[in-house]
Amino acid sequence: MLVTEQTLVLIKPDGVQRGVIGEVISRIERKGLTLAALELRTVTTEIASEHYAEHAERPFFGSLLEFITSGPVVALVVEGPRAIAAFRQLAGGTDPVEKATPGTIRGDFGLETQFNLVHGSDSPESAAREIGLWFPSLNS
Ligand code: RTP
Ligand code: MG
């Protein structure tokens, strides 16, 4: 049996506006992953910049923060064996056309890199940091 992992998933403002909350959660559940936390929340610029701190020097950082804070997101802690890689597989590559393949969330619903619908932690270290940031009261 593989060790259970947790990963931080966001349904970004475009995903909420597009009405795919149910679709994304359904895909997570169909994969066999479970939900350990779920909240609809409009994020502050402070939390958003901490969340995406690794991109602080990138040219798209300003527009990324503007986008992520532009409306409510759904934040989830998703759990299961290899949950981090499993959700990245469900999401597909960052660019919804060039990288994500059909059958993935981004490949099925996205057109532009910035508006790629979902976020998923990319490593155990990122997952621990992001879960602590979004759900400080959660014991994991
Ligand atoms: P995420 O962190 O949101 O799960 O996405 P990711 O790992 O697949 O991609 P990452 O390189 O971490 O980029 C974070 C988010 O920034 C936006 N982005 N825009 N305009 C651009 O060239 C560009 N590149 C990245 C996307 O929203 C991406 O998901
Ligand atoms: Mg990333």
Side-chain angles (χ1 to χ4, degrees):
M1 278 290 272
L2 291 162
V3 179
T4 295
E5 279 180 348
Q6 289 189 331
T7 186
L8 191 277
V9 170
L10 299 177
I11 305 175
K12 300 181 185 183
D14 57 332
V16 174
Q17 277 160 25
R18 296 273 304 279
V20 296
I21 296 173
E23 176 74 35
V24 171
I25 292 176
S26 174
R27 287 175 185 226
I28 290 168
E29 293 182 325
R30 270 157 47 197
K31 183 71 172 172
L33 298 166
T34 56
L35 307 183
L38 182 158
E39 191 179 320
L40 184 74
R41 192 190 302 178
T42 304
V43 66
T44 60
T45 304
E46 288 67 35
I47 298 282
S49 0
E50 274 196 58
H51 175 79
Y52 278 128
E54 64 172 312
H55 299 307
E57 306 305 321
R58 306 286 281 278
F60 59 79
F61 189 61
S63 64
L64 178 58
L65 293 192
E66 206 175 308
F67 163 57
I68 287 294
T69 58
S70 67
V73 302
V74 176
L76 309 108
V77 176
V78 171
E79 196 170 87
R82 289 189 288 182
I84 296 166
F87 182 77
R88 299 277 292 186
Q89 177 191 40
L90 290 180
T94 308
D95 182 327
V97 174
E98 295 290 333
K99 296 294 181 195
T101 50
T104 64
I105 296 164
R106 290 165 169 173
D108 285 349
F109 300 110
L111 282 172
E112 295 182 58
T113 298
Q114 179 163 280
F115 307 112
N116 61 3
L117 300 131
V118 289
H119 160 81
S121 308
D122 62 11
S123 67
E125 296 70 31
S126 304
R129 187 183 73 79
E130 293 169 4
I131 291 168
L133 178 66
W134 287 83
F135 294 99
S137 63
L138 204 66
N139 295 315
S140 58

